[in-house]
Amino acid sequence: MTNRLARTLLPQFKAYSLFFALLAVAALAAWAVLTVPAPIVDRMLEADLRKQAGTWRRAVLLHLSSSEDTFVLGDLTERDTEYLSLMPKTSDVYRLNLFEADGTIFWSTRAENIGDRNTKPYFQSTVSKGVVYYKHEEKPATEVDGLMTAVNPDGSIPVREVAEVYSPVMHEGIFIGAIEFYSDITEVRNTFITRVRFSLALISIVTIAAMTVVTIVVFKTNRRTMRQVEERSAKDHEVMANQMQLAREVKLLGELNEWLQSCRSLDELFKMVSEFMSHLLPDAEGSVYVFSNSRDVLDGCVSWNGGSHKDHIHPGECWGLRRGRTYEFGSTEVAFTCEHAEPHDGRPYFCFPILAHGETVGLMHLRARPSRAGDFTSCKQLAQMCAEQISMAIANVRMRDQLHDQSVRDPLTGLYNRRHMTDSLRKLIHASELRGTALSVVAVDVDHFKKFNDNHGHDAGDMVLRAVGSALEKACDGDEVACRPGGEEFTLILPGATPEDAVTRAELLRQQVEEITVRYGEKNLPRITISAGVAHFPRHGLIPQELLRAADDALYAAKAKGRNQICVSSPGDSGGQAEADTLPALPKAG
């Protein structure tokens, strides 16, 4: 019974609702027709009269004999007076007043007004500042010059709409006077108001008719059912779109992980990160920073989607790193901008610390793109997963680099070991053959190294080896390679170095080692000297073994001749003991 009554009353309720809605629209339209036109027309007339006043003022000043003398001295010629008197007959102005700078009328179409002074505040605050002043008010018809008006039947005097415009007169930026124009705008105003009311009435009628038709059509259709179907369809589409987007993101994350795990270097890794992130997070500008080996700064590595990164930032410049967790700017009422995000334009952003094996290895910074800031926070979870993928990949690449370094570097001096020396020499010889460039090898040995160990202990000997290794490392530049094959023996590979350059480099190295002072405990160790042998490609050998043997033979010759000197291998003596050429010492550097 209740449901049946509801179904019966519902159409009536809708009909009454429609009826009252149309009444409300009609009332609103009537109100608009009666009240809106006058203010609109008044603004239009004001703009027009302000513009006309400028034209009238220019015409007056143009016809005056001397506008400056006229307003400063109050002098008018007969010709000036004649033109001013005719102006009400040739324009819409019915009265004209000329003011001096202090507001005194020195000429008027009404002679009785001459000598009056305008003391109203607007004259000094507005007109004297060079700004046009406009005033519109109703006045008795008797106030309008030249207007023949009959008295109303009830004995009252008709009123007219009068506009007064004060137009300042300036000379070289100085206010010297003003011209006041009176204009009767009654007929024009009434005409425009009538037209605007007619237009509004027509628009209102059309609008009400359209609303009536639309409402009737809506009532004749099963709007509720359609709305439910549309909402259900929209939800289904949204669910399907979300599922497809999720599947796409999972697929891209899997591909990202696979590609990142196959990277051989950090540069290659960051290129892949840039490519994948532009697809995974299209709504965000991003960048990645990684801690340097010293861990005092983070190096900017890569950016995407129009983002940018600085070369270096300090850990203290990021609130995410300082707080040890993800920092989201824009999610709370009070937030502080990270220094590395400056200059900041207010867009929300994330700072994700990149963690691997419990250690912070870097930072991923994401900021909303200008056109997509509204949906930015929805990507937080996906961005967090990307940061985790990147962190593990960075850790793996660094671990591989560390293991590779351990396999090719000497643990005591940090120089390359014998294995890397042989591989590098083979590659450099092949490159020299292709390009026709020079290549030299310098074999180095610490003189009397056994005495350091016997007299001062193996710790002192290790310090000597590290000092000599550091000198060799500093002597290298570009593709040059410093190695420690073993014991107190060192090797320097100099691609591109001519025989003369190689000898010079070896002698400079000998001098630099000779100047090293190694302090052990509370005393300095004895002076360190080295002997060196130099061999050149292809003069002394065509393969690594021949070149190394030739350099060793020259080294033995330098030791046999007294140590602390440089010898060059003789041509053709790469096999067996060479009678190497001993070189005179060069002048010491500096």
Side-chain angles (χ1 to χ4, degrees):
M1 181 66 179
T2 304
N3 293 336
R4 187 180 305 168
L5 180 62
R7 287 195 297 269
T8 303
L9 294 177
L10 186 58
Q12 298 181 9
F13 176 78
K14 291 183 177 179
Y16 282 118
S17 299
L18 173 62
F19 176 76
F20 286 116
L22 292 176
L23 284 180
V25 172
L28 180 62
W31 174 83
V33 169
L34 293 175
T35 59
V36 171
I40 294 176
V41 170
D42 288 339
R43 291 192 188 95
M44 294 171 57
L45 289 175
E46 179 181 353
D48 185 64
L49 286 172
R50 284 178 176 271
K51 184 176 180 181
Q52 285 191 18
T55 303
W56 295 334
R57 178 181 60 81
R58 287 191 294 271
V60 170
L61 297 178
L62 182 64
H63 286 82
L64 291 177
S65 301
S66 174
S67 59
E68 182 181 1
D69 292 340
T70 298
F71 286 89
V72 174
L73 304 177
D75 290 337
L76 287 169
T77 64
E78 290 183 6
R79 180 176 172 274
D80 295 340
T81 303
E82 180 181 0
Y83 170 77
L84 294 174
S85 299
L86 291 174
M87 190 169 184
K89 300 178 181 179
T90 59
S91 66
D92 293 334
V93 177
Y94 72 81
R95 188 187 306 171
L96 183 67
N97 291 332
L98 273 60
F99 292 83
E100 296 177 347
D102 62 352
T104 302
I105 299 175
F106 66 90
W107 190 89
S108 175
T109 52
R110 276 192 176 185
E112 61 270 22
N113 290 343
I114 297 176
D116 293 346
R117 184 177 181 183
N118 190 331
T119 58
K120 299 294 179 62
Y122 63 78
F123 192 89
Q124 293 300 325
S125 63
T126 303
V127 181
S128 63
K129 303 300 182 182
V131 179
V132 174
Y133 180 79
Y134 176 88
K135 183 169 63 172
H136 167 216
E137 61 184 3
E138 292 182 349
K139 291 191 176 184
T142 54
E143 288 288 320
V144 179
D145 298 342
L147 179 66
M148 302 298 294
T149 305
V151 179
N152 291 328
D154 60 352
S156 61
I157 300 176
V159 295
R160 305 291 289 180
E161 300 290 336
V162 175
E164 297 179 40
V165 186
Y166 289 82
S167 183
V169 179
M170 312 295 288
H171 180 72
E172 296 181 354
I174 299 174
F175 176 71
I176 61 174
I179 306 174
E180 181 184 15
F181 303 98
Y182 285 76
S183 181
D184 183 2
I185 59 173
T186 307
E187 283 74 20
V188 175
R189 183 173 181 271
N190 292 339
T191 300
F192 276 104
I193 289 176
T194 301
R195 291 179 180 177
V196 173
R197 283 176 177 169
F198 178 79
S199 300
L200 288 176
L202 183 59
I203 293 172
S204 299
I205 292 171
V206 173
T207 302
I208 293 172
M211 288 181 59
T212 304
V213 172
V214 170
T215 306
I216 293 173
V217 171
V218 169
F219 270 123
K220 290 183 178 180
T221 59
N222 193 347
R223 186 61 179 174
R224 178 179 300 174
T225 304
M226 289 298 297
R227 185 180 297 111
Q228 291 175 349
V229 171
E230 291 173 357
E231 290 176 355
R232 188 179 300 112
S233 176
K235 289 181 180 179
D236 292 341
H237 282 296
E238 184 179 357
V239 170
M240 184 175 295
N242 290 337
Q243 290 177 347
M244 293 179 64
Q245 179 66 18
L246 180 60
R248 174 180 174 272
E249 292 172 354
V250 170
K251 180 182 177 182
L252 283 175
L253 278 173
E255 293 177 355
L256 173 64
N257 179 61
E258 181 180 349
W259 281 102
L260 293 183
Q261 295 306 320
S262 63
C263 290
R264 292 178 297 181
S265 65
L266 287 178
D267 290 340
E268 190 177 51
L269 182 146
F270 293 132
K271 289 180 181 178
M272 293 181 180
V273 167
S274 174
E275 186 67 27
F276 270 93
M277 295 299 281
S278 62
H279 291 274
L280 277 166
L281 300 172
D283 296 338
E285 300 174 356
S287 56
V288 171
Y289 294 86
V290 175
F291 270 104
S292 62
N293 292 331
S294 60
R295 293 194 64 81
D296 57 340
V297 296
L298 291 93
D299 301 324
C301 299
V302 67
S303 299
W304 60 87
N305 285 348
S308 62
H309 61 268
K310 300 179 181 179
D311 293 337
H312 308 285
I313 65 172
H314 292 278
E317 297 179 13
C318 177
W319 288 109
L321 293 176
R322 291 171 66 175
R323 301 166 76 187
R325 55 188 174 88
T326 299
Y327 177 64
E328 182 177 354
F329 179 90
S331 62
T332 58
E333 184 175 352
V334 178
F336 301 95
T337 306
C338 299
E339 292 182 32
H340 69 84
E342 296 288 355
H344 186 51
D345 56 4
R347 281 181 281 164
Y349 68 80
F350 293 118
C351 288
F352 296 95
I354 299 178
L355 306 174
H357 307 301
E359 180 185 10
T360 303
V361 298
L363 168 72
M364 184 171 77
H365 175 70
L366 296 179
R367 182 168 61 175
R369 300 181 78 173
S371 59
R372 305 181 181 181
D375 300 328
F376 180 65
T377 55
S378 61
C379 69
K380 181 178 180 180
Q381 184 177 3
L382 177 60
Q384 185 72 57
M385 296 172 66
C386 292
E388 293 172 0
Q389 297 274 19
I390 294 171
S391 66
M392 296 305 299
I394 292 175
N396 290 339
V397 171
R398 283 189 164 179
M399 186 177 296
R400 283 200 297 267
D401 291 344
Q402 185 178 2
L403 292 174
H404 180 263
D405 280 349
Q406 291 176 357
S407 67
V408 300
R409 289 191 181 273
D410 167 47
L412 178 64
T413 61
L415 301 181
Y416 290 110
N417 57 21
R418 180 182 296 276
R419 172 187 170 187
H420 186 78
M421 176 187 71
T422 305
D423 291 342
S424 298
L425 186 56
R426 184 179 295 107
K427 293 176 182 177
L428 293 173
I429 288 175
H430 180 66
S432 296
E433 288 177 339
L434 293 177
R435 302 170 187 169
T437 56
L439 173 68
S440 299
V441 176
V442 180
V444 179
D445 190 89
V446 180
D447 296 333
H448 303 296
F449 179 72
K450 187 174 183 299
K451 291 183 179 180
F452 283 98
N453 285 335
D454 294 342
N455 297 334
H456 304 283
H458 289 283
D459 289 343
D462 289 346
M463 293 180 65
V464 170
L465 293 177
R466 280 194 290 266
V468 175
S470 177
L472 263 75
E473 188 173 19
K474 292 179 181 178
C476 289
D477 185 24
D479 294 333
E480 298 171 351
V481 183
C483 309
R484 182 194 174 204
E488 67 271 26
E489 299 176 359
F490 298 87
T491 303
L492 196 60
I493 305 174
L494 304 176
T498 63
E500 295 78 9
D501 291 339
V503 172
T504 301
R505 295 280 296 280
E507 175 59 23
L508 290 175
L509 176 64
R510 186 196 66 78
Q511 294 180 12
Q512 291 169 359
V513 171
E514 194 174 21
E515 294 174 356
I516 294 175
T517 300
V518 178
R519 188 168 183 82
Y520 180 69
E522 298 182 353
K523 60 181 180 179
N524 295 333
L525 295 177
R527 186 185 68 164
I528 305 171
T529 62
I530 59 172
S531 300
V534 183
H536 310 300
F537 171 84
R539 183 190 306 173
H540 301 129
L542 300 177
I543 60 176
Q545 291 79 1
E546 293 176 353
L547 276 177
L548 292 173
R549 189 181 304 115
D552 285 341
D553 291 345
L555 170 63
Y556 296 145
K559 284 184 171 291
K561 293 181 179 181
R563 294 182 172 83
N564 194 22
Q565 55 187 286
I566 309 298
C567 286
V568 179
S569 180
S570 299
D573 292 334
S574 59
Q577 185 72 24
E579 292 186 1
D581 298 327
T582 304
L583 297 173
L586 298 175
K588 289 188 178 182

